[in-house]
Amino acid sequence: MTLSTNAAGESQGRRRTPVPSPQYASTGLDVWTMMNQVAASVNAVNLGQGYMSYPPKEFIKRAAQEALVENTHNQYAPPRGRPGLLEQVGIHFANRLARPIDASSELSIHAGANEALLSVFTAFLEHGKGQEVILMEPAFDQYTPNIIMSGGKPVYVPLRVQCADKDPAKDVISSHDWKLDMEELEAAINENTRIIVVNTPHNPVGKVFSREELEQIGAIAARHNLLILADEVYEHLTYGVEHISIATLPGMWERTVTVGSAGKMFGVTGWRVGWSVGPAELIQPTLSAHTRIVFTSNTPLQEGVASAFKLAKENDFLNIQRQEYERRRNRLMAIFDDVGLPYVVPDGAYYLLVNAAAIKIPNDYKFPDFIEERGANFKLVYFFIKEFGVSGIPPTEFYSEPHKHLANDYIRFAFCKTDEGLDEAAKCLQSLKRYLQETS
Ligand code: PMP
């Protein structure tokens, strides 16, 4: 027998149900599930969520298969990680950061970059102390809940489009036109601030922070003695610009934990392997938190990633992969050039922010309640998916309430998708032209 319950979980019949924490009690759909369902309802080409719609390269899949049949690769890994993977990640970062890396103290392997981020927040934030973390908006949507779970308070500083000679609703602009106002950043810092999160290459803008910008952020972090959490999961995906790790700037190694992802690097987001890199004093507490959160990441796929690292060098895999992504990026940009919607040219990562202000939604268009209540940007994305059969993600989801309006006109598309998928999207989007209005 099903009994009805009120909001507090108290049954109106005989049975009482346990009451969840308000943070997790919402029955609302998360944005990914919601938009995937909308996409599935019209069989849309899915350019929404950032997973690859093509299989990993054969040598990567084989590395995992071979790891799994080794008897010794099927039991707990040490919490810090399997020695073979620590060694490979150590070699990678010794090159990337141009310094020797001690794999036994300056690295930890995690269950994806997500868990590395949570471990850093857990390790460096205390509950009940009102400690704050600075996020630059748009901000990857896991940061905020992870900070709150760790007892911290997110404080938001938006990137602001600065391109006096261009109108983002009409003109293609650069991801570099999305600027961080350094005075605004410093004004957001107070004696409770503990961490600043720097995501470069950036999801969803595709901005690759310049050396000068990173130097300015670093100087502010040093002035206020902040930890820098460098989320560099797209480090290997830049298009014609150099990715700079903030940890390589003078004086920054000491205060930076850099986080990376095998999922992004090898096109295997489901493997859930990531890492954190930094000085021993910062990695030790991160590792302690990781040990209490998941204890250890899975063994066979750590071994698979270790082999993939080695084979990637022989195959020049990262360079070839970068070229493939650049070709997909250019293809998706050309599709939007053709239909006449401007976008933000991403210098890195695999997302394209399209400005859809020119799409005129008929006044009498009916939206379901779950979309209506989420505001203008969700309505735009819903309309886009339903009418044109190509799905994207509403980037307002990457903003705090006061700044959501900054993204109302944008839709985020992912281009880690097959050529066939992109061709199909091109066909579907032809129907868009009849909805375009002149923007003044
Ligand atoms: N940081 C950013 C900016 C991301 O976009 C993502 C994944 N979308 C992650 C971290 C998480 O990476 P992983 O899949 O390795 O947990």
Side-chain angles (χ1 to χ4, degrees), residues 217-419:
I217 296 168
I220 292 172
R223 246 190 324 275
H224 299 275
N225 193 24
L226 305 182
L227 173 80
I228 297 171
L229 176 48
D231 181 344
E232 300 185 2
V233 297
Y234 302 103
E235 58 171 296
H236 55 293
L237 290 180
T238 53
Y239 315 111
V241 297
E242 190 194 0
H243 165 68
I244 296 166
S245 286
I246 192 165
T248 58
L249 301 183
M252 288 301 117
W253 165 256
E254 290 71 16
R255 61 178 64 258
T256 303
V257 177
T258 304
V259 162
S261 164
K264 305 291 180 189
M265 190 170 271
F266 296 108
V268 288
T269 57
W271 285 18
R272 313 309 301 132
V273 176
W275 42 80
S276 61
V277 187
E281 310 81 73
L282 303 185
I283 295 302
Q284 185 51 51
T286 303
L287 171 62
S288 298
H290 157 78
T291 309
R292 291 304 171 209
I293 294 170
V294 286
F295 182 49
T296 170
S297 168
N298 79 85
T299 300
L301 295 177
Q302 288 193 52
E303 292 294 334
V305 174
S307 303
F309 260 112
K310 282 189 226 151
L311 295 166
K313 273 179 227 142
E314 292 166 22
N315 296 345
D316 198 21
F317 169 73
L318 290 178
N319 266 331
I320 293 168
Q321 177 175 250
R322 184 200 309 268
Q323 287 158 14
E324 288 171 355
Y325 274 92
E326 189 161 3
R327 195 174 43 71
R328 291 185 194 112
R329 176 195 76 148
N330 294 347
R331 173 86 178 101
L332 191 58
M333 293 195 303
I335 290 171
F336 282 102
D337 286 335
D338 176 55
V339 296
L341 281 185
Y343 47 82
V344 182
V345 179
D347 286 337
Y350 50 58
Y351 306 100
L352 185 71
L353 278 185
V354 170
N355 190 309
I359 290 179
K360 182 165 168 38
I361 302 178
N363 290 336
D364 56 354
Y365 198 83
K366 288 273 168 294
F367 294 96
D369 290 348
F370 69 92
I371 292 291
E372 189 75 49
E373 66 198 20
R374 301 299 300 271
N377 189 230
F378 274 64
K379 285 160 82 169
L380 174 66
V381 176
Y382 178 88
F383 179 81
F384 198 99
I385 300 174
K386 283 282 196 188
E387 295 306 311
F388 312 133
V390 177
S391 76
I393 289 293
T396 49
E397 193 66 8
F398 288 48
Y399 281 86
S400 61
E401 210 51 52
H403 298 142
K404 278 191 195 301
H405 65 277
L406 294 170
N408 266 347
D409 294 336
Y410 287 98
I411 306 178
R412 191 199 80 167
F413 297 98
F415 54 85
C416 45
K417 305 295 171 183
T418 57
D419 288 344

Side-chain angles (χ1 to χ4, degrees), residues 50-115:
Y51 61 84
M52 297 79 200
S53 68
Y54 41 83
K57 298 274 189 249
E58 273 309 310
F59 80 91
I60 296 174
K61 283 197 290 187
R62 236 187 355 263
Q65 282 163 349
E66 284 167 12
L68 201 60
V69 293
E70 275 294 323
N71 287 340
T72 54
H73 294 169
N74 288 281
Q75 304 305 329
Y76 293 128
R80 188 186 292 279
R82 294 285 293 180
L85 179 56
L86 288 168
E87 186 190 347
Q88 289 305 314
V89 178
I91 294 170
H92 176 76
F93 276 99
N95 287 330
R96 154 85 59 219
L97 305 180
R99 61 175 303 124
I101 298 289
D102 180 351
S104 68
S105 65
E106 296 176 332
L107 282 181
S108 174
I109 304 301
H110 295 264
N114 266 319
E115 188 265 308

Side-chain angles (χ1 to χ4, degrees), residues 157-187:
V157 182
L159 298 173
R160 295 188 188 276
V161 176
Q162 284 175 26
C163 48
D165 53 331
K166 289 194 197 127
D167 175 357
K170 287 183 179 165
D171 304 315
V172 170
I173 63 170
S174 161
S175 48
H176 200 60
D177 293 330
W178 290 61
K179 304 270 190 212
L180 180 66
D181 178 333
M182 297 297 163
E183 283 178 18
E184 197 176 354
L185 170 64
E186 195 148 21

